[in-house]
Each structure stands twice: as C-alpha cells, then as structure tokens.
Amino acid sequence: MQAFTTLTGTAIPFGAENIDTDVIVPGRFLKTITRTGLGKIAFFTLRENPDNVFDTERNKGAPILIAGDNFGCGSSREHAPWALADMGIRVVIAPSFADIFSGNSFKNGILLVSLPQAAIDRLMEVAAEHPVTVDLESQTVTTPFQDRFEFAIDPFRKDCLLRGLDEIGLTVAMDDAIAAHEQRLQSDRPWIAGAAQAV
C-alpha cells in the first residue's frame, strides 16, 4: 500500500448524495476478482452521459473526489474502493460514509475525509477551477484561498495510512517479534511448539 502524507491535486466536484456501491460498480461487473481494470467501469451508468463530471479534460485521473452525504451505502462489495483506486482516487471527501465502505476503503489505502456540508459546498466551489490540498499529518483540507478545514480520523487508521501499511504489511512489520515469540515458545513450551510443527 502506498503511504499517504500530503496530496495536492484536482478534486472532482461530484457532490451527489446517497451514492451506493452499485452506482460505483454496477453488479453486472462483479465477475472479476482482480483489483485492476475496474477504473474503466467505475460510475459506469453516470459516465454513459458524455457530459459527466468524471471524464472532463480537467477531472480525468483526478486523485480527489468530493461527494455528498452517505457515500458508499448499499452492499458491502470491496470492488467499489478497488474501482476508485484504479481510476486514481486517493481521497474521498464527503459529509458521511457507510461503515462497511469506510472499512474497505481504509484497507485499500483510500483516505476518507468527513467534513460538514458547509465545507463540502465551499470545496465544490473551489474545485471547479482550483486544486485542493489534503494533509493527513495535520488532518486538514486547504485551498489556495486560505480555507482550512480540520477533520478527525481514527489514530490507528492514520498511522497505517501514513506508513503505507495494510493488515499484511502490519504483520510483516512485526516479523522480528513473531520470530522471537516462536523461539520463546519452543524453549518454554516445547509440547505446544512441537504440536504446531506437526500440523
């Protein structure tokens, strides 16, 4: 997982509320088990409209998405954050997010920033023509016009994102401690260690 510290870039001023995971990735595309290639079908139905906000020259490949309340509701499909990541989205800013989508996004390295609606409205206005900066370390979203919005984040999630560690990465990072534990186990409780080796 790529570490996240500070990101300045184009923000897609989407703003729609109650966008469920079926809108993000329609069910008919859920036959794949890989994370790549889903960016092309993200928001598929909305992108059938040639005037959609995702495919304008300015917004293509933008790393930030500004959405409305209750983003990611609906089914628990992990394909939704896979698709967002594959289209280049690293941050979604919205008033609120569905719980399961929030967990899935974190596990896939996407930072979700929850801000009040007034802040979302201001960012939508700025994002039409100017970049937005998201700083995870200071937990702020800023604009070139001195707007500064602070956001809360779970300390564990913040640490993992700053270090670029998913659950596997966290386990690997503890390799020395795990090896030391296994050695202690073999010496202190050989009957347990022997049983584990026999499996």
Side-chain angles (χ1 to χ4, degrees):
M1 193 162 89
Q2 186 181 353
F4 190 107
T5 52
T6 302
L7 173 65
T8 299
T10 300
I12 303 170
F14 180 41
E17 297 180 351
N18 301 311
I19 294 298
D20 65 29
T21 52
D22 195 56
V23 173
I24 301 169
V25 178
R28 63 186 180 275
F29 296 112
L30 297 182
K31 296 174 184 167
T32 181
I33 55 170
T34 64
R35 299 178 189 214
T36 56
L38 288 170
K40 294 179 290 192
I41 54 93
F43 302 103
F44 186 83
T45 306
L46 299 176
R47 289 166 78 184
E48 287 181 317
N49 177 348
D51 296 326
N52 76 83
V53 71
F54 301 100
D55 295 321
T56 65
E57 197 57 46
R58 173 175 168 72
N59 295 337
K60 230 181 254 187
I64 303 169
L65 175 66
I66 304 172
D69 199 32
N70 198 28
F71 188 80
C73 56
S75 74
S76 61
R77 64 191 69 167
E78 195 170 11
H79 294 71
W82 289 357
L84 292 174
D86 196 55
M87 69 186 287
I89 301 292
R90 299 212 54 216
V91 181
V92 182
I93 305 171
S96 69
F97 301 91
D99 285 344
I100 295 174
F101 174 80
S102 178
N104 286 340
S105 295
F106 159 66
K107 290 175 184 181
N108 286 280
I110 298 174
L111 173 62
L112 301 185
V113 173
S114 183
L115 291 175
Q117 188 61 53
I120 297 296
D121 293 341
R122 173 59 180 158
L123 290 171
M124 290 275 292
E125 181 186 338
V126 171
E129 295 182 15
H130 304 279
V132 169
T133 298
V134 180
D135 186 326
L136 178 55
E137 200 136 25
S138 66
Q139 296 177 212
T140 58
V141 178
T142 57
T143 74
F145 304 101
Q146 309 308 311
D147 299 295
R148 180 184 172 91
F149 306 108
E150 295 184 0
F151 63 90
I153 184 170
D154 174 80
F156 172 74
R157 289 187 174 186
K158 177 180 180 177
D159 180 60
C160 289
L161 289 168
L162 285 170
R163 294 165 59 200
L165 296 175
D166 58 12
E167 289 161 331
I168 294 171
L170 278 170
T171 305
V172 171
M174 298 171 73
D175 188 49
D176 290 343
I178 293 168
H181 170 76
E182 292 297 325
Q183 282 184 338
R184 269 194 321 277
L185 189 66
Q186 196 152 13
S187 136
D188 298 348
R189 300 179 183 176
W191 61 92
I192 294 176
Q197 290 169 1
V199 173

